[in-house]
Amino acid sequence: MPPAGRRPGPSRTREAVLDAARAEFAARGYDAVTLRRVAARAGVDPAMVTHHFGSKSGLFRAVLDVRLDPAAELAAVLTGPLDTVAERLLTRLLVLWDSPAGAATIAAVRTALQDEDGTALLRDLALSQVLRPLAAALTGPEEERRWRVDLVASQVVGLLMTRYVLGLEPLASARHPALVGALGPTLQRYLTGPLPAASVEP
Amino acid sequence: MPPAGRRPGPSRTREAVLDAARAEFAARGYDAVTLRRVAARAGVDPAMVTHHFGSKSGLFRAVLDVRLDPAAELAAVLTGPLDTVAERLLTRLLVLWDSPAGAATIAAVRTALQDEDGTALLRDLALSQVLRPLAAALTGPEEERRWRVDLVASQVVGLLMTRYVLGLEPLASARHPALVGALGPTLQRYLTGPLPAASVEP
């Protein structure tokens, strides 16, 4: 038995913070969560949260076991002309997904999809780390930019599911240039081409 | 207690056949399964399998709890010119998915994705009921037709995931004509437009 009153060790602290963060993100959504609340819920000092996870987005990715930093990757892709961004985005995505960290991330996505809480966290992750920053880099009214990035998501998520989860052939074994040549024009049109308005249900 | 030697009732027979079919489909894949083997495994007469489920594809859809008949729907969509098939396909898909049977099917797809056996069944269902028949309706070499239908799957599966599972807005609430206008040209290009070859990894 450990001595009474002893503080939890680093790995128990890390687990307690992850448990508290999972509950907070699920209950409140990404935007409303603060590191201070997570720390209070875990019964640790807020500095410990920063020490272990760096930032709210780092904590969030740790909760989902996402071993890539989508926001940083996207920022790198966006440094270049917008009229060729689809090709850079797709090339980068394929390199990441085909790496060991990508395989772990895809496994984490699949696990998260198994229940409503995990799915909501995944939606929050996509919105906060990828879709909103991507929308901010586009031109046009905000509603139109949100519609454009949702369309991009519909093709990118489908590529992930068919290539890595369902393993449909020949798509699962297709080389990157073939995928970029086939899907790149789709993404570029969704981002910057002419499109009908979303015309949402009232 | 039921009298000794009494035959199982209709609902127990149905359950026994479904259990046997689930095991056979998971072990052998769709093509190699026969109704005779499923009946033998369930300990019932093959005529009972036909009586309850109609056909191998009916049995398969019952195993996956898919309440639509994708092959029949696809056949209806394919009666018309190939250069406008994407619009008909997408319009029909959206009507089906937005129906109560569609919602049940999407829930079944999501459940199937939770393990490897379910995912393999889903891939078999997609191939046997939709992708191979669709490929057969296209022109060009077989490898190219398989590549084209995989690309269609990548966009269609992604639409399903982002609209119905992740619920990304405004896409989740977008009206059908907006979705058909945005995604239709993508699908039509994948089916009949110019594309780079798949160029598969050796």
Side-chain angles (χ1 to χ4, degrees), chain B residues 103-117:
Chain B
T105 298
I106 291 163
V109 165
R110 201 169 160 185
T111 303
L113 285 172
Q114 294 187 6
D115 61 62
E116 287 310 320
D117 280 357

Side-chain angles (χ1 to χ4, degrees), chain A residues 123 166 169 173 186 190 201, chain B residues 123 150 166 173 186 190 201:
Chain A
R123 180 173 53 240
L166 288 168
E169 294 293 0
S173 303
T186 300
Y190 292 163
E201 305 273 352
Chain B
R123 181 174 50 241
D150 278 6
L166 287 168
S173 303
T186 299
Y190 292 163
E201 305 275 351

Side-chain angles (χ1 to χ4, degrees), chain A:
Chain A
M1 241 174 98
R6 183 155 168 194
R7 279 161 173 268
S11 99
R12 281 206 44 208
T13 299
R14 195 176 184 281
E15 284 309 308
V17 170
L18 281 176
D19 286 346
R22 196 173 286 115
E24 285 283 311
F25 282 125
R28 292 169 207 285
Y30 183 80
D31 286 340
V33 167
T34 65
L35 295 187
R36 180 174 299 273
R37 288 194 74 106
V38 170
R41 186 166 191 144
V44 305
D45 192 275
M48 291 308 292
V49 179
T50 313
H51 170 73
H52 281 287
F53 302 101
S55 63
K56 181 159 85 169
S57 96
L59 178 59
F60 191 41
R61 282 182 278 117
V63 163
L64 281 171
D65 198 23
V66 167
R67 298 179 201 181
L68 303 172
D69 184 345
E73 296 292 344
L74 179 66
V77 163
L78 286 172
T79 59
L82 202 57
D83 60 359
T84 54
V85 71
E87 190 176 319
R88 293 195 302 283
L89 177 64
L90 209 43
T91 302
R92 190 68 197 139
L93 272 177
L94 288 165
V95 168
L96 289 171
W97 284 345
D98 284 331
S99 74
T105 298
I106 291 163
V109 165
R110 200 168 163 186
T111 304
L113 284 172
Q114 293 188 6
D115 61 60
E116 288 309 321
D117 280 357
T119 302
L121 284 179
L122 213 54
R123 180 173 53 240
D124 265 9
L125 181 77
L127 283 169
S128 65
Q129 310 291 300
V130 182
L131 299 180
R132 279 188 214 135
L134 182 56
L138 303 181
T139 55
E142 197 197 332
E143 241 338 85
E144 181 191 311
R145 286 184 274 133
R146 290 178 60 209
W147 170 229
R148 289 181 181 280
V149 299
D150 278 6
L151 292 168
V152 168
S154 79
Q155 176 63 84
V156 166
V157 169
L159 173 62
L160 187 152
M161 296 299 296
T162 46
R163 180 170 166 95
Y164 301 96
V165 178
L166 288 168
L168 290 182
E169 294 293 0
L171 188 136
S173 303
R175 288 171 187 277
H176 293 186
L179 290 163
V180 173
L183 303 170
T186 300
L187 296 192
Q188 193 62 51
R189 174 172 160 263
Y190 292 163
L191 287 168
T192 58
L195 283 179
S199 160
V200 165
E201 305 273 352

